[in-house]
Amino acid sequence: DGGITQSPKYLFRKEGQNVTLSCEQNLNHDAMYWYRQDPGQGLRLIYYSQIVNDFQKGDIAEGYSVSREKKESFPLTVTSAQKNPTAFYLCASRWGNTNTEAFFGQGTRLTVV
Amino acid sequence: AQKVTQAQTEISVVEKEDVTLDCVYETRDTTYYLFWYKQPPSGELVFLIRRNSFDEQNEISGRYSWNFQKSTSSFNFTITASQVVDSAVYFCALDSSNTGKLIFGQGTTLQVKP
């Protein structure tokens, strides 16, 4: 079945450690997105990529990094520079610049312990 | 700058009541797209509808209807005869054809009580 897979579903990280969240899609979509969801703040855009080997910062990119080496993969690294990383992270993908609807993964809940 | 505002943080209704979720957007682009998504407790967002800036026709899909008004920069969502299964967080989103960014509002949590 086609879709977006995020892993792991739950992730615990010690303060000061980097952690990488996985996002894989087999929909052949060009564009991929990472969002952070906090209570009362909706979805905030971290990074997005419209094509392989290219990506742009969203509204809250500080403390995060991404790569887009393959069309189907868009991993997000939460670095130790991110001061408040505990949140729910959602990955999405869609066809390129055609303004189509985005498809979402089931999310990763990251907790700093 | 683009912005989406959903002023209603939480709404609680009793089953069979009608409910309207408000969405106000800001953009300088003449071509843009608006979306509504539903997020059930499982966490995955589900697409409901897309509207482009040139099509102001209202749309109805079963118990769902959408009212797009460019004059007030609003794209409101109405659920008629609400059901308990409608309980979820609903997000409005804006996409500019120039940037490829997809910007979401803060979301409205809808609770439908039996």
Side-chain angles (χ1 to χ4, degrees), chain B:
Chain B
Q2 295 181 110
K3 186 178 180 181
V4 176
T5 302
Q6 296 178 255
Q8 305 151 306
T9 304
E10 293 183 21
I11 300 176
S12 182
V13 299
V14 177
E15 206 169 20
K16 298 184 182 178
E17 287 185 14
D18 298 347
V19 59
T20 295
L21 309 182
D22 297 332
C23 173
V24 174
Y25 63 92
E26 296 175 28
T27 181
R28 294 180 181 175
D29 295 322
T30 55
T31 302
Y32 53 88
Y33 291 77
L34 296 162
F35 302 81
W36 274 96
Y37 286 84
K38 175 182 180 179
Q39 185 182 39
S42 61
E44 182 177 345
L45 269 72
V46 177
F47 166 76
L48 296 176
I49 191 172
R50 176 182 67 242
R51 231 3 169 210
N52 72 56
S53 52
F54 299 107
D55 183 1
E56 288 193 69
Q57 281 190 345
N58 292 331
E59 181 158 340
I60 298 174
S61 177
R63 296 185 296 107
Y64 295 170
S65 63
W66 291 269
N67 184 319
F68 176 32
Q69 293 193 343
K70 287 180 74 171
S71 61
T72 56
S73 297
S74 65
F75 186 44
N76 297 337
F77 173 31
T78 297
I79 302 174
T80 303
S82 60
Q83 300 176 1
V84 173
V85 293
D86 295 327
S87 298
V89 182
Y90 291 86
F91 288 98
C92 181
L94 167 68
D95 180 18
S96 165
S97 60
N98 292 330
T99 67
K101 292 177 71 173
L102 183 59
I103 301 299
F104 283 79
Q106 301 92 322
T108 296
T109 300
L110 173 64
Q111 183 181 30
V112 181
K113 299 178 181 178

Side-chain angles (χ1 to χ4, degrees), chain A:
Chain A
D1 285 12
I4 300 178
T5 302
Q6 287 187 245
S7 61
K9 190 171 183 179
Y10 299 96
L11 188 57
F12 296 88
R13 187 195 92 174
K14 292 183 178 180
E15 284 192 30
Q17 286 183 339
N18 292 354
V19 63
T20 298
L21 282 59
S22 170
C23 179
E24 303 278 332
Q25 54 98 0
N26 60 5
L27 300 167
N28 201 31
H29 286 168
D30 297 304
M32 297 187 74
Y33 301 78
W34 273 106
Y35 292 90
R36 169 178 172 145
Q37 185 174 12
D38 297 282
Q41 298 196 53
L43 300 181
R44 292 184 290 168
L45 183 62
I46 305 173
Y47 270 97
Y48 64 109
S49 167
Q50 294 178 295
I51 195 170
V52 175
N53 292 321
D54 188 38
F55 48 83
Q56 289 78 39
K57 292 182 179 180
D59 299 319
I60 56 165
E62 185 176 351
Y64 299 97
S65 66
V66 293
S67 63
R68 187 83 188 278
E69 297 176 359
K70 298 186 295 182
K71 188 175 186 178
E72 58 270 23
S73 178
F74 192 41
L76 173 73
T77 297
V78 185
T79 74
S80 56
Q82 170 51 238
K83 296 183 179 179
N84 185 20
T86 295
F88 187 56
Y89 291 87
L90 283 161
C91 178
S93 71
R94 63 175 181 171
W95 297 111
N97 281 332
T98 56
N99 302 299
T100 57
E101 64 269 26
F103 291 77
F104 282 80
Q106 292 195 324
T108 293
R109 188 165 297 280
L110 173 64
T111 304
V112 173
V113 296

